[in-house]
Amino acid sequence: MKELNEAIAKGGGEHVELPKLEEDKIYEKFVKTAIILTLTVGVTFGAIILSYIAIRLNFNSIYYALIQAHGHAQLYGWVGLCIMGFSLYIIPRVKNTELRSRNLTSICYVLIVASLVLRTTIQPLSFPGTRFLLPISSICETVSICLFVLIILRTILASKEKKGIFDKFFKAGVIWFLISTGLNFAMVMYIYKHALLEIPRAVFSPYVHLYLFGFVCMFIFAINIRTVYAFLDIKPVREKPVNLTFWILNLSIPVYFVTQMLADKSNVALRFSQFIVFPMAFAILAFIYGLRVFERSTRELHDVVMDRSYTKTIRTAYIWLIISTMILLVIPFLGHGSEMQKRFHGSLNHALTVGFITMMIIGYASKMIPTFKGINMHSQKMSDLTFILINVGCFLRVFSQILVGVSGKKLFYATMGTSGWFELAALGLFGYNLWKTMNTTQVVKPAEAKKLLEVTKDTKVFDIVDAYPETLQVFIDFGFSQMANPVMRNTMGRVASIEMATRMHNVDMDKFIKALNDKIAVKS
Ligand code: HEM
Protein backbone atom coordinates (compact mmCIF):
# COMPACT_ATOMS: atom_id res chain seq x y z
CA MET A 1 0.00 0.00 0.00
CA LYS A 2 2.94 2.31 0.78
CA GLU A 3 4.28 1.86 -2.80
CA LEU A 4 0.82 2.45 -4.34
CA ASN A 5 0.26 5.65 -2.35
CA GLU A 6 3.74 6.90 -3.32
CA ALA A 7 2.86 6.25 -6.99
CA ILE A 8 -0.47 8.11 -6.59
CA ALA A 9 1.25 11.01 -4.80
CA LYS A 10 3.83 11.16 -7.61
CA GLY A 11 0.92 11.67 -9.99
CA GLY A 12 0.53 9.92 -13.44
CA GLY A 13 4.00 10.33 -15.14
CA GLU A 14 4.60 8.34 -18.31
CA HIS A 15 1.45 6.99 -20.03
CA VAL A 16 1.12 3.29 -19.29
CA GLU A 17 -0.79 1.21 -21.88
CA LEU A 18 -3.00 -1.13 -19.81
CA PRO A 19 -3.16 -4.57 -21.54
CA LYS A 20 -6.63 -5.44 -22.95
CA LEU A 21 -7.94 -8.17 -20.66
CA GLU A 22 -8.72 -11.18 -22.90
CA GLU A 23 -11.41 -13.44 -21.38
CA ASP A 24 -9.77 -16.84 -20.59
CA LYS A 25 -12.13 -19.52 -21.96
CA ILE A 26 -9.85 -22.53 -21.33
CA TYR A 27 -12.60 -24.32 -19.36
CA GLU A 28 -15.34 -23.86 -21.97
CA LYS A 29 -14.79 -26.78 -24.38
CA PHE A 30 -14.28 -29.19 -21.45
CA VAL A 31 -17.48 -28.05 -19.70
CA LYS A 32 -19.56 -27.96 -22.90
CA THR A 33 -18.43 -31.50 -23.87
CA ALA A 34 -19.20 -32.72 -20.33
CA ILE A 35 -22.75 -31.36 -20.71
CA ILE A 36 -23.20 -33.10 -24.09
CA LEU A 37 -21.84 -36.43 -22.76
CA THR A 38 -23.91 -36.47 -19.58
CA LEU A 39 -27.10 -35.57 -21.51
CA THR A 40 -26.45 -38.44 -24.00
CA VAL A 41 -24.56 -41.53 -22.75
CA GLY A 42 -24.64 -40.35 -19.11
CA VAL A 43 -27.93 -39.41 -17.47
CA THR A 44 -30.22 -40.31 -20.40
CA PHE A 45 -28.69 -43.77 -20.61
CA GLY A 46 -28.90 -44.08 -16.82
CA ALA A 47 -32.55 -43.03 -16.76
CA ILE A 48 -33.44 -45.57 -19.48
CA ILE A 49 -31.54 -48.36 -17.64
CA LEU A 50 -33.29 -47.44 -14.39
CA SER A 51 -36.78 -47.44 -15.94
CA TYR A 52 -36.06 -50.83 -17.56
CA ILE A 53 -34.93 -52.26 -14.18
CA ALA A 54 -38.10 -50.80 -12.57
CA ILE A 55 -40.42 -52.29 -15.21
CA ARG A 56 -38.70 -55.72 -14.95
CA LEU A 57 -38.59 -55.43 -11.10
CA ASN A 58 -35.10 -56.87 -11.35
CA PHE A 59 -31.67 -55.16 -11.08
CA ASN A 60 -29.99 -58.09 -12.84
CA SER A 61 -32.24 -57.77 -15.91
CA ILE A 62 -29.75 -55.47 -17.65
CA TYR A 63 -26.31 -56.65 -18.61
CA TYR A 64 -23.58 -55.03 -16.55
CA ALA A 65 -21.40 -53.88 -19.49
CA LEU A 66 -24.09 -51.29 -20.35
CA ILE A 67 -24.08 -50.03 -16.75
CA GLN A 68 -20.28 -49.85 -16.85
CA ALA A 69 -20.41 -47.83 -20.11
CA HIS A 70 -22.83 -45.39 -18.41
CA GLY A 71 -20.62 -45.34 -15.31
CA HIS A 72 -17.44 -44.61 -17.29
CA ALA A 73 -19.16 -41.88 -19.33
CA GLN A 74 -20.25 -40.21 -16.09
CA LEU A 75 -16.97 -40.66 -14.19
CA TYR A 76 -14.61 -39.42 -16.94
CA GLY A 77 -17.06 -37.69 -19.32
CA TRP A 78 -19.17 -35.64 -16.85
CA VAL A 79 -17.15 -35.34 -13.64
CA GLY A 80 -13.66 -35.81 -15.12
CA LEU A 81 -14.06 -33.22 -17.89
CA CYS A 82 -15.66 -30.66 -15.54
CA ILE A 83 -12.83 -31.00 -13.00
CA MET A 84 -10.17 -30.84 -15.77
CA GLY A 85 -11.75 -27.72 -17.33
CA PHE A 86 -12.26 -25.82 -14.06
CA SER A 87 -8.83 -26.81 -12.70
CA LEU A 88 -7.08 -25.43 -15.80
CA TYR A 89 -8.83 -22.10 -15.08
CA ILE A 90 -8.83 -22.01 -11.25
CA ILE A 91 -5.42 -23.45 -10.27
CA PRO A 92 -3.29 -20.74 -12.01
CA ARG A 93 -5.50 -18.10 -10.33
CA VAL A 94 -5.40 -19.52 -6.78
CA LYS A 95 -1.64 -20.09 -7.24
CA ASN A 96 -1.21 -16.59 -8.68
CA THR A 97 0.77 -17.77 -11.71
CA GLU A 98 0.36 -18.44 -15.45
CA LEU A 99 -0.94 -21.81 -16.69
CA ARG A 100 2.09 -23.78 -17.93
CA SER A 101 2.13 -25.77 -21.24
CA ARG A 102 -1.15 -24.20 -22.31
CA ASN A 103 -0.51 -25.45 -25.87
CA LEU A 104 -0.90 -29.06 -24.62
CA THR A 105 -4.46 -28.53 -23.31
CA SER A 106 -6.06 -29.00 -26.74
CA ILE A 107 -4.22 -32.32 -27.32
CA CYS A 108 -5.29 -33.36 -23.82
CA TYR A 109 -8.92 -32.45 -24.70
CA VAL A 110 -9.05 -34.23 -28.08
CA LEU A 111 -7.51 -37.43 -26.69
CA ILE A 112 -9.86 -37.68 -23.69
CA VAL A 113 -12.97 -37.05 -25.83
CA ALA A 114 -11.86 -39.61 -28.44
CA SER A 115 -11.22 -42.20 -25.72
CA LEU A 116 -14.64 -41.59 -24.14
CA VAL A 117 -16.55 -41.94 -27.41
CA LEU A 118 -14.68 -45.17 -28.26
CA ARG A 119 -14.98 -46.72 -24.78
CA THR A 120 -18.67 -46.02 -24.18
CA THR A 121 -19.66 -47.27 -27.65
CA ILE A 122 -17.31 -50.26 -28.06
CA GLN A 123 -17.28 -51.82 -24.54
CA PRO A 124 -20.96 -52.97 -24.48
CA LEU A 125 -20.80 -54.21 -28.13
CA SER A 126 -19.67 -57.79 -28.83
CA PHE A 127 -18.50 -57.31 -32.47
CA PRO A 128 -15.00 -58.93 -32.53
CA GLY A 129 -14.02 -56.64 -35.45
CA THR A 130 -14.27 -53.50 -33.32
CA ARG A 131 -12.77 -54.75 -30.03
CA PHE A 132 -9.26 -53.57 -31.02
CA LEU A 133 -10.60 -50.01 -30.46
CA LEU A 134 -10.84 -50.68 -26.71
CA PRO A 135 -7.05 -50.66 -25.99
CA ILE A 136 -6.75 -47.65 -28.34
CA SER A 137 -9.37 -45.79 -26.27
CA SER A 138 -7.47 -46.62 -23.11
CA ILE A 139 -4.12 -45.46 -24.53
CA CYS A 140 -5.71 -42.13 -25.60
CA GLU A 141 -7.20 -41.69 -22.13
CA THR A 142 -3.94 -42.47 -20.35
CA VAL A 143 -1.89 -40.07 -22.52
CA SER A 144 -4.52 -37.35 -22.08
CA ILE A 145 -4.53 -37.63 -18.29
CA CYS A 146 -0.75 -37.75 -18.10
CA LEU A 147 -0.67 -34.49 -20.11
CA PHE A 148 -3.26 -32.93 -17.76
CA VAL A 149 -1.24 -33.99 -14.71
CA LEU A 150 1.93 -32.56 -16.28
CA ILE A 151 0.23 -29.19 -16.96
CA ILE A 152 -1.25 -28.99 -13.44
CA LEU A 153 1.93 -30.03 -11.61
CA ARG A 154 4.13 -27.68 -13.70
CA THR A 155 1.73 -24.81 -12.90
CA ILE A 156 1.59 -25.57 -9.15
CA LEU A 157 5.38 -26.00 -8.92
CA ALA A 158 6.03 -22.76 -10.88
CA SER A 159 4.02 -20.71 -8.38
CA LYS A 160 5.89 -18.57 -5.84
CA GLU A 161 2.68 -18.24 -3.81
CA LYS A 162 2.93 -19.33 -0.15
CA LYS A 163 1.72 -22.95 0.16
CA GLY A 164 -1.76 -23.35 1.58
CA ILE A 165 -3.42 -26.39 3.18
CA PHE A 166 -5.37 -26.93 -0.09
CA ASP A 167 -2.13 -27.56 -2.04
CA LYS A 168 -1.63 -31.10 -0.79
CA PHE A 169 -5.28 -31.98 -1.56
CA PHE A 170 -4.67 -30.94 -5.19
CA LYS A 171 -1.48 -33.04 -5.34
CA ALA A 172 -3.19 -36.07 -3.75
CA GLY A 173 -6.06 -35.67 -6.23
CA VAL A 174 -3.59 -35.64 -9.13
CA ILE A 175 -1.90 -38.83 -7.85
CA TRP A 176 -5.26 -40.65 -7.43
CA PHE A 177 -6.25 -39.51 -10.96
CA LEU A 178 -3.07 -41.13 -12.29
CA ILE A 179 -3.59 -44.32 -10.23
CA SER A 180 -7.26 -44.73 -11.25
CA THR A 181 -6.32 -44.14 -14.90
CA GLY A 182 -3.62 -46.82 -14.61
CA LEU A 183 -6.17 -49.20 -13.07
CA ASN A 184 -8.62 -48.35 -15.84
CA PHE A 185 -5.96 -49.17 -18.44
CA ALA A 186 -5.29 -52.54 -16.76
CA MET A 187 -9.03 -53.38 -16.55
CA VAL A 188 -9.57 -52.58 -20.25
CA MET A 189 -6.54 -54.64 -21.30
CA TYR A 190 -7.89 -57.51 -19.15
CA ILE A 191 -11.35 -57.58 -20.81
CA TYR A 192 -9.75 -57.12 -24.26
CA LYS A 193 -7.31 -60.00 -23.70
CA HIS A 194 -10.04 -62.32 -22.36
CA ALA A 195 -12.69 -61.17 -24.89
CA LEU A 196 -15.03 -60.13 -22.05
CA LEU A 197 -17.70 -57.44 -22.26
CA GLU A 198 -17.75 -56.47 -18.60
CA ILE A 199 -15.07 -55.77 -15.98
CA PRO A 200 -15.58 -58.13 -12.99
CA ARG A 201 -17.84 -56.34 -10.48
CA ALA A 202 -15.46 -57.25 -7.59
CA VAL A 203 -12.83 -54.99 -9.24
CA PHE A 204 -15.05 -52.34 -10.92
CA SER A 205 -17.07 -51.29 -7.84
CA PRO A 206 -14.06 -50.66 -5.51
CA TYR A 207 -12.26 -48.93 -8.41
CA VAL A 208 -15.27 -46.55 -8.74
CA HIS A 209 -14.86 -45.58 -5.07
CA LEU A 210 -11.09 -45.13 -5.42
CA TYR A 211 -11.78 -42.69 -8.29
CA LEU A 212 -14.56 -40.86 -6.36
CA PHE A 213 -12.97 -40.64 -2.88
CA GLY A 214 -9.41 -40.29 -4.24
CA PHE A 215 -9.37 -38.06 -7.33
CA VAL A 216 -12.81 -36.36 -7.23
CA CYS A 217 -13.18 -35.69 -3.49
CA MET A 218 -9.56 -34.49 -3.13
CA PHE A 219 -10.06 -31.92 -5.94
CA ILE A 220 -13.43 -30.77 -4.62
CA PHE A 221 -12.06 -30.51 -1.06
CA ALA A 222 -9.03 -28.52 -2.33
CA ILE A 223 -11.22 -25.99 -4.20
CA ASN A 224 -13.67 -25.81 -1.27
CA ILE A 225 -10.89 -25.16 1.27
CA ARG A 226 -9.65 -22.29 -0.92
CA THR A 227 -13.01 -20.70 -1.82
CA VAL A 228 -15.98 -21.80 0.33
CA TYR A 229 -15.26 -19.37 3.20
CA ALA A 230 -15.47 -16.45 0.74
CA PHE A 231 -18.45 -17.86 -1.20
CA LEU A 232 -20.47 -18.57 1.97
CA ASP A 233 -19.08 -15.60 3.94
CA ILE A 234 -17.91 -17.87 6.80
CA LYS A 235 -14.65 -18.13 8.76
CA PRO A 236 -11.67 -19.86 7.05
CA VAL A 237 -11.25 -23.62 7.63
CA ARG A 238 -10.18 -25.25 10.89
CA GLU A 239 -6.80 -26.64 9.76
CA LYS A 240 -6.51 -29.46 12.36
CA PRO A 241 -9.59 -31.52 11.34
CA VAL A 242 -8.91 -30.81 7.66
CA ASN A 243 -5.35 -32.13 8.03
CA LEU A 244 -6.70 -35.19 9.84
CA THR A 245 -9.07 -35.82 6.91
CA PHE A 246 -6.20 -35.61 4.46
CA TRP A 247 -4.10 -38.30 6.16
CA ILE A 248 -6.91 -40.67 7.25
CA LEU A 249 -8.66 -40.61 3.85
CA ASN A 250 -5.49 -41.01 1.77
CA LEU A 251 -4.27 -43.87 3.97
CA SER A 252 -7.71 -45.59 4.02
CA ILE A 253 -8.50 -45.50 0.29
CA PRO A 254 -5.84 -48.07 -0.82
CA VAL A 255 -6.79 -50.38 2.09
CA TYR A 256 -10.48 -50.01 1.14
CA PHE A 257 -9.77 -50.75 -2.53
CA VAL A 258 -7.60 -53.85 -1.98
CA THR A 259 -9.74 -55.40 0.79
CA GLN A 260 -13.00 -54.79 -1.11
CA MET A 261 -11.50 -56.51 -4.17
CA LEU A 262 -10.44 -59.55 -2.10
CA ALA A 263 -13.51 -59.64 0.16
CA ASP A 264 -15.17 -62.54 -1.75
CA LYS A 265 -12.00 -64.65 -1.46
CA SER A 266 -10.70 -63.94 2.05
CA ASN A 267 -12.51 -63.51 5.34
CA VAL A 268 -9.65 -61.34 6.71
CA ALA A 269 -9.98 -59.02 3.72
CA LEU A 270 -13.76 -58.94 4.24
CA ARG A 271 -13.36 -57.94 7.91
CA PHE A 272 -10.82 -55.24 6.98
CA SER A 273 -13.10 -53.89 4.22
CA GLN A 274 -15.92 -53.69 6.77
CA PHE A 275 -13.68 -52.01 9.38
CA ILE A 276 -11.98 -49.40 7.10
CA VAL A 277 -15.26 -47.58 6.30
CA PHE A 278 -15.33 -46.22 9.89
CA PRO A 279 -12.11 -44.13 9.70
CA MET A 280 -13.17 -43.07 6.16
CA ALA A 281 -16.56 -41.88 7.46
CA PHE A 282 -14.87 -40.13 10.39
CA ALA A 283 -12.48 -38.37 7.98
CA ILE A 284 -15.35 -37.11 5.78
CA LEU A 285 -17.37 -35.81 8.77
CA ALA A 286 -14.21 -34.19 10.23
CA PHE A 287 -13.72 -32.36 6.93
CA ILE A 288 -17.29 -30.99 6.99
CA TYR A 289 -16.71 -29.80 10.56
CA GLY A 290 -13.36 -28.25 9.54
CA LEU A 291 -14.89 -26.51 6.50
CA ARG A 292 -17.58 -24.84 8.73
CA VAL A 293 -20.02 -25.26 5.81
CA PHE A 294 -23.14 -25.21 8.04
CA GLU A 295 -21.94 -22.35 10.28
CA ARG A 296 -23.48 -18.90 10.46
CA SER A 297 -22.19 -16.23 8.12
CA THR A 298 -19.63 -13.80 9.56
CA ARG A 299 -21.66 -11.07 7.78
CA GLU A 300 -18.37 -9.51 6.72
CA LEU A 301 -19.67 -9.43 3.14
CA HIS A 302 -23.32 -8.91 4.06
CA ASP A 303 -23.48 -5.52 2.36
CA VAL A 304 -21.99 -6.81 -0.87
CA VAL A 305 -24.86 -7.00 -3.31
CA MET A 306 -24.48 -10.21 -5.32
CA ASP A 307 -26.41 -13.33 -6.35
CA ARG A 308 -25.97 -15.89 -3.54
CA SER A 309 -28.34 -18.59 -4.84
CA TYR A 310 -25.37 -20.98 -5.24
CA THR A 311 -24.93 -21.10 -1.42
CA LYS A 312 -27.93 -23.40 -0.94
CA THR A 313 -26.58 -25.71 -3.66
CA ILE A 314 -23.15 -25.98 -1.99
CA ARG A 315 -24.71 -26.62 1.46
CA THR A 316 -27.18 -29.18 0.05
CA ALA A 317 -24.29 -30.98 -1.64
CA TYR A 318 -22.70 -31.44 1.80
CA ILE A 319 -26.01 -32.75 3.21
CA TRP A 320 -25.90 -35.43 0.49
CA LEU A 321 -22.26 -36.20 1.39
CA ILE A 322 -23.39 -36.79 5.00
CA ILE A 323 -26.23 -39.06 3.72
CA SER A 324 -23.80 -41.07 1.55
CA THR A 325 -21.44 -41.39 4.55
CA MET A 326 -24.31 -42.72 6.70
CA ILE A 327 -25.10 -45.35 4.03
CA LEU A 328 -21.37 -46.25 3.89
CA LEU A 329 -21.52 -46.94 7.66
CA VAL A 330 -24.59 -49.20 7.33
CA ILE A 331 -23.22 -51.38 4.49
CA PRO A 332 -20.86 -53.54 6.65
CA PHE A 333 -23.90 -54.67 8.70
CA LEU A 334 -25.70 -56.03 5.63
CA GLY A 335 -24.92 -59.56 4.42
CA HIS A 336 -21.79 -59.37 2.20
CA GLY A 337 -22.78 -59.69 -1.46
CA SER A 338 -26.51 -59.83 -0.63
CA GLU A 339 -29.06 -58.15 -2.93
CA MET A 340 -29.89 -55.76 -0.08
CA GLN A 341 -26.22 -54.76 0.25
CA LYS A 342 -26.01 -54.18 -3.52
CA ARG A 343 -29.03 -51.88 -3.36
CA PHE A 344 -27.53 -49.87 -0.52
CA HIS A 345 -24.23 -49.71 -2.46
CA GLY A 346 -26.05 -48.30 -5.52
CA SER A 347 -27.78 -45.72 -3.29
CA LEU A 348 -24.45 -44.72 -1.73
CA ASN A 349 -23.02 -44.24 -5.25
CA HIS A 350 -25.94 -42.09 -6.29
CA ALA A 351 -25.97 -39.93 -3.13
CA LEU A 352 -22.23 -39.35 -3.71
CA THR A 353 -22.15 -38.90 -7.51
CA VAL A 354 -25.38 -36.93 -7.98
CA GLY A 355 -26.18 -35.56 -4.48
CA PHE A 356 -22.67 -34.36 -3.63
CA ILE A 357 -20.46 -34.23 -6.76
CA THR A 358 -22.98 -33.19 -9.43
CA MET A 359 -24.63 -30.70 -7.06
CA MET A 360 -21.17 -29.22 -6.30
CA ILE A 361 -20.44 -28.90 -10.04
CA ILE A 362 -23.80 -27.12 -10.52
CA GLY A 363 -23.20 -24.82 -7.50
CA TYR A 364 -19.65 -23.85 -8.49
CA ALA A 365 -20.33 -23.50 -12.22
CA SER A 366 -23.34 -21.25 -11.47
CA LYS A 367 -21.15 -19.07 -9.27
CA MET A 368 -17.85 -19.05 -11.10
CA ILE A 369 -18.69 -18.88 -14.82
CA PRO A 370 -20.89 -15.74 -14.48
CA THR A 371 -18.17 -14.22 -12.24
CA PHE A 372 -15.40 -15.14 -14.73
CA LYS A 373 -17.41 -13.24 -17.35
CA GLY A 374 -18.73 -10.36 -15.19
CA ILE A 375 -22.34 -11.22 -16.12
CA ASN A 376 -25.34 -12.96 -14.56
CA MET A 377 -26.42 -16.58 -15.03
CA HIS A 378 -28.70 -16.68 -18.13
CA SER A 379 -31.82 -17.52 -16.05
CA GLN A 380 -32.19 -17.48 -12.26
CA LYS A 381 -35.54 -19.26 -12.59
CA MET A 382 -33.87 -22.15 -14.42
CA SER A 383 -31.21 -22.35 -11.69
CA ASP A 384 -33.92 -22.58 -9.01
CA LEU A 385 -35.84 -25.23 -11.00
CA THR A 386 -32.63 -27.23 -11.54
CA PHE A 387 -32.04 -27.21 -7.78
CA ILE A 388 -35.55 -28.52 -7.02
CA LEU A 389 -35.61 -31.19 -9.77
CA ILE A 390 -32.14 -32.63 -9.01
CA ASN A 391 -32.95 -32.91 -5.31
CA VAL A 392 -36.34 -34.54 -5.95
CA GLY A 393 -34.74 -37.00 -8.39
CA CYS A 394 -31.82 -37.81 -6.09
CA PHE A 395 -34.09 -38.21 -3.04
CA LEU A 396 -36.43 -40.55 -4.94
CA ARG A 397 -33.51 -42.65 -6.25
CA VAL A 398 -31.48 -42.96 -3.06
CA PHE A 399 -34.36 -43.74 -0.69
CA SER A 400 -36.52 -45.79 -3.11
CA GLN A 401 -33.53 -47.99 -3.99
CA ILE A 402 -32.87 -48.56 -0.25
CA LEU A 403 -36.56 -49.45 0.25
CA VAL A 404 -36.39 -51.81 -2.77
CA GLY A 405 -33.47 -53.49 -1.00
CA VAL A 406 -35.38 -53.71 2.30
CA SER A 407 -38.87 -54.66 1.03
CA GLY A 408 -38.68 -55.37 -2.72
CA LYS A 409 -42.08 -53.68 -3.04
CA LYS A 410 -43.30 -52.73 -6.58
CA LEU A 411 -44.20 -49.21 -5.36
CA PHE A 412 -40.56 -48.43 -4.59
CA TYR A 413 -39.43 -49.82 -7.95
CA ALA A 414 -41.90 -47.39 -9.55
CA THR A 415 -40.77 -44.32 -7.63
CA MET A 416 -37.14 -45.29 -8.27
CA GLY A 417 -37.86 -45.73 -12.00
CA THR A 418 -39.14 -42.15 -12.32
CA SER A 419 -36.18 -40.57 -10.50
CA GLY A 420 -33.82 -40.63 -13.49
CA TRP A 421 -36.20 -38.43 -15.55
CA PHE A 422 -36.30 -35.74 -12.85
CA GLU A 423 -32.48 -35.73 -12.86
CA LEU A 424 -32.36 -35.63 -16.65
CA ALA A 425 -34.74 -32.63 -16.67
CA ALA A 426 -32.58 -30.92 -14.02
CA LEU A 427 -29.30 -31.46 -15.89
CA GLY A 428 -30.95 -30.55 -19.21
CA LEU A 429 -32.08 -27.20 -17.75
CA PHE A 430 -28.71 -26.61 -16.11
CA GLY A 431 -26.84 -27.51 -19.32
CA TYR A 432 -28.95 -25.10 -21.39
CA ASN A 433 -28.70 -22.32 -18.75
CA LEU A 434 -24.90 -22.65 -18.43
CA TRP A 435 -24.39 -22.99 -22.21
CA LYS A 436 -26.32 -19.74 -22.82
CA THR A 437 -24.30 -18.04 -20.06
CA MET A 438 -21.00 -19.25 -21.56
CA ASN A 439 -22.10 -17.90 -24.97
CA THR A 440 -22.94 -14.47 -23.51
CA THR A 441 -20.22 -11.81 -23.56
CA GLN A 442 -20.06 -8.86 -21.14
CA VAL A 443 -22.05 -6.08 -22.83
CA VAL A 444 -19.97 -2.86 -23.14
CA LYS A 445 -22.69 -0.26 -23.56
CA PRO A 446 -22.10 2.22 -26.46
CA ALA A 447 -22.07 5.93 -25.46
CA GLU A 448 -25.68 6.54 -26.46
CA ALA A 449 -26.89 3.82 -24.08
CA LYS A 450 -26.44 6.40 -21.30
CA LYS A 451 -29.92 7.72 -22.08
CA LEU A 452 -31.38 5.90 -19.09
CA LEU A 453 -34.64 7.81 -18.60
CA GLU A 454 -36.35 5.83 -15.88
CA VAL A 455 -35.21 3.38 -13.20
CA THR A 456 -37.18 0.14 -12.99
CA LYS A 457 -36.75 -2.96 -10.80
CA ASP A 458 -34.63 -4.58 -13.52
CA THR A 459 -32.27 -1.65 -14.05
CA LYS A 460 -28.67 -2.51 -13.14
CA VAL A 461 -27.19 -0.57 -10.24
CA PHE A 462 -24.05 0.22 -12.30
CA ASP A 463 -26.07 1.77 -15.19
CA ILE A 464 -27.88 4.20 -12.85
CA VAL A 465 -24.76 5.59 -11.17
CA ASP A 466 -22.90 5.48 -14.49
CA ALA A 467 -25.59 7.66 -16.15
CA TYR A 468 -26.42 9.81 -13.08
CA PRO A 469 -23.46 9.95 -10.62
CA GLU A 470 -25.55 12.20 -8.32
CA THR A 471 -27.76 9.17 -7.53
CA LEU A 472 -24.84 7.69 -5.56
CA GLN A 473 -25.93 9.71 -2.51
CA VAL A 474 -29.43 8.20 -2.78
CA PHE A 475 -27.91 4.70 -2.68
CA ILE A 476 -25.84 5.57 0.40
CA ASP A 477 -28.86 7.22 2.09
CA PHE A 478 -30.81 3.98 1.66
CA GLY A 479 -27.95 1.98 3.25
CA PHE A 480 -25.98 0.73 0.23
CA SER A 481 -22.69 1.93 1.75
CA GLN A 482 -20.58 -0.42 -0.44
CA MET A 483 -21.71 1.60 -3.46
CA ALA A 484 -19.10 4.15 -2.42
CA ASN A 485 -16.52 1.59 -3.51
CA PRO A 486 -15.93 1.98 -7.32
CA VAL A 487 -14.64 -1.65 -7.63
CA MET A 488 -17.90 -2.94 -6.12
CA ARG A 489 -19.90 -0.67 -8.44
CA ASN A 490 -17.96 -1.93 -11.45
CA THR A 491 -18.22 -5.66 -10.62
CA MET A 492 -21.26 -6.51 -8.49
CA GLY A 493 -22.99 -3.31 -9.67
CA ARG A 494 -22.96 -4.67 -13.25
CA VAL A 495 -24.86 -7.84 -12.30
CA ALA A 496 -27.08 -6.57 -9.50
CA SER A 497 -30.53 -5.23 -10.43
CA ILE A 498 -32.52 -2.88 -8.19
CA GLU A 499 -34.81 -5.78 -7.34
CA MET A 500 -31.84 -7.96 -6.19
CA ALA A 501 -30.24 -5.09 -4.23
CA THR A 502 -33.42 -4.11 -2.37
CA ARG A 503 -34.32 -7.74 -1.64
CA MET A 504 -30.79 -8.31 -0.24
CA HIS A 505 -31.01 -5.23 1.99
CA ASN A 506 -34.69 -5.38 2.96
CA VAL A 507 -35.16 -1.95 1.40
CA ASP A 508 -38.64 -0.85 0.26
CA MET A 509 -38.16 -1.21 -3.52
CA ASP A 510 -40.91 1.14 -4.69
CA LYS A 511 -39.81 3.87 -2.25
CA PHE A 512 -36.20 3.48 -3.42
CA ILE A 513 -37.10 3.52 -7.15
CA LYS A 514 -39.20 6.66 -6.59
CA ALA A 515 -36.29 8.39 -4.81
CA LEU A 516 -33.92 7.50 -7.69
CA ASN A 517 -36.36 8.65 -10.38
CA ASP A 518 -37.00 11.90 -8.49
CA LYS A 519 -33.22 12.49 -8.49
CA ILE A 520 -32.98 11.75 -12.22
CA ALA A 521 -36.00 13.93 -13.00
CA VAL A 522 -34.22 16.92 -11.38
CA LYS A 523 -31.37 16.51 -13.93
CA SER A 524 -33.37 15.85 -17.10
C1 HEM B 1 -28.20 -38.43 -12.78
C2 HEM B 1 -28.73 -39.49 -13.18
C3 HEM B 1 -28.20 -40.92 -13.13
C4 HEM B 1 -28.94 -42.04 -13.36
C5 HEM B 1 -30.40 -42.08 -13.73
C6 HEM B 1 -28.06 -43.18 -13.18
C7 HEM B 1 -28.46 -44.50 -13.30
C8 HEM B 1 -27.66 -45.59 -12.97
C9 HEM B 1 -28.14 -46.97 -12.87
C10 HEM B 1 -29.55 -47.43 -13.15
C11 HEM B 1 -27.09 -47.74 -12.49
C12 HEM B 1 -27.08 -49.26 -12.23
C13 HEM B 1 -27.74 -49.61 -10.93
C14 HEM B 1 -26.85 -49.36 -9.73
O1 HEM B 1 -25.71 -49.76 -9.72
O2 HEM B 1 -27.34 -48.74 -8.81
C15 HEM B 1 -25.96 -46.86 -12.35
C16 HEM B 1 -24.72 -47.29 -12.00
C17 HEM B 1 -23.63 -46.47 -12.01
N1 HEM B 1 -23.64 -45.09 -12.18
FE1 HEM B 1 -25.21 -43.93 -12.59
N2 HEM B 1 -26.79 -42.75 -12.86
C18 HEM B 1 -26.84 -41.37 -12.82
C19 HEM B 1 -25.80 -40.52 -12.51
C20 HEM B 1 -24.52 -40.95 -12.35
C21 HEM B 1 -23.40 -40.07 -12.12
C22 HEM B 1 -23.48 -38.55 -12.01
C23 HEM B 1 -22.30 -40.88 -12.02
C24 HEM B 1 -20.85 -40.53 -11.79
C25 HEM B 1 -20.33 -39.44 -11.69
C26 HEM B 1 -22.73 -42.26 -12.20
C27 HEM B 1 -21.91 -43.36 -12.17
C28 HEM B 1 -22.35 -44.66 -12.10
C29 HEM B 1 -21.47 -45.81 -11.89
C30 HEM B 1 -19.97 -45.75 -11.77
C31 HEM B 1 -22.29 -46.94 -11.83
C32 HEM B 1 -21.85 -48.40 -11.64
C33 HEM B 1 -21.65 -48.62 -10.17
C34 HEM B 1 -21.18 -50.01 -9.81
O3 HEM B 1 -21.50 -50.93 -10.46
O4 HEM B 1 -20.49 -50.10 -8.80
N3 HEM B 1 -24.10 -42.27 -12.40
N4 HEM B 1 -26.33 -45.55 -12.64
Side-chain angles (χ1 to χ4, degrees), residues 82-91 94 148 152 165-171 215-231 237 287 291 314 318 360-361 363-365 367-368 372:
C82 282
I83 290 183
M84 288 167 86
F86 285 131
S87 306
L88 291 170
Y89 185 97
I90 294 171
I91 292 182
V94 293
F148 171 75
I152 293 295
I165 188 169
F166 63 91
D167 269 285
K168 59 173 177 262
F169 282 83
F170 271 133
K171 289 178 188 148
F215 161 53
V216 180
C217 283
M218 286 296 142
F219 261 78
I220 290 180
F221 288 175
I223 293 171
N224 282 181
I225 293 167
R226 188 64 184 73
T227 56
V228 149
Y229 70 95
F231 285 8
V237 299
F287 181 81
L291 195 67
I314 294 175
Y318 272 100
M360 193 57 80
I361 291 173
Y364 264 69
K367 162 66 184 164
M368 291 196 302
F372 297 166

Side-chain angles (χ1 to χ4, degrees), residues 389-444:
L389 286 168
I390 196 115
N391 277 296
V392 169
C394 197
F395 181 87
L396 280 175
R397 172 72 187 279
V398 171
F399 293 101
S400 305
Q401 188 156 327
I402 285 174
L403 291 168
V404 162
V406 172
S407 72
K409 284 216 174 88
K410 281 194 183 143
L411 167 67
F412 301 126
Y413 270 106
T415 49
M416 181 191 75
T418 60
S419 66
W421 304 108
F422 283 97
E423 292 163 330
L424 179 59
L427 281 164
L429 270 177
F430 167 72
Y432 174 80
N433 201 2
L434 196 68
W435 198 290
K436 289 289 271 181
T437 308
M438 284 191 272
N439 287 357
T440 310
T441 44
Q442 189 180 51
V443 183
V444 181

Side-chain angles (χ1 to χ4, degrees), residues 38 42-51 53 59 62 64 67-68 70-76 78-80 201 204-209 211-212 216 342-343 345-347 349-350 352-355 357-358 361 390 397 401 416 419-424 427:
T38 199
V43 178
T44 312
F45 216 31
I48 294 168
I49 293 171
L50 201 57
S51 298
I53 290 171
F59 266 82
I62 200 138
Y64 197 41
I67 292 176
Q68 290 182 341
H70 150 82
H72 186 77
Q74 293 284 61
L75 292 175
Y76 281 80
W78 166 236
V79 177
R201 193 188 280 262
F204 186 73
S205 287
Y207 149 80
V208 169
H209 284 180
Y211 181 94
L212 295 174
V216 180
K342 285 183 190 155
R343 297 298 81 80
H345 185 96
S347 295
N349 277 350
H350 209 73
L352 190 61
T353 56
V354 176
I357 297 168
T358 298
I361 291 173
I390 196 115
R397 172 72 187 279
Q401 188 156 327
M416 181 191 75
S419 66
W421 304 108
F422 283 97
E423 292 163 330
L424 179 59
L427 281 164

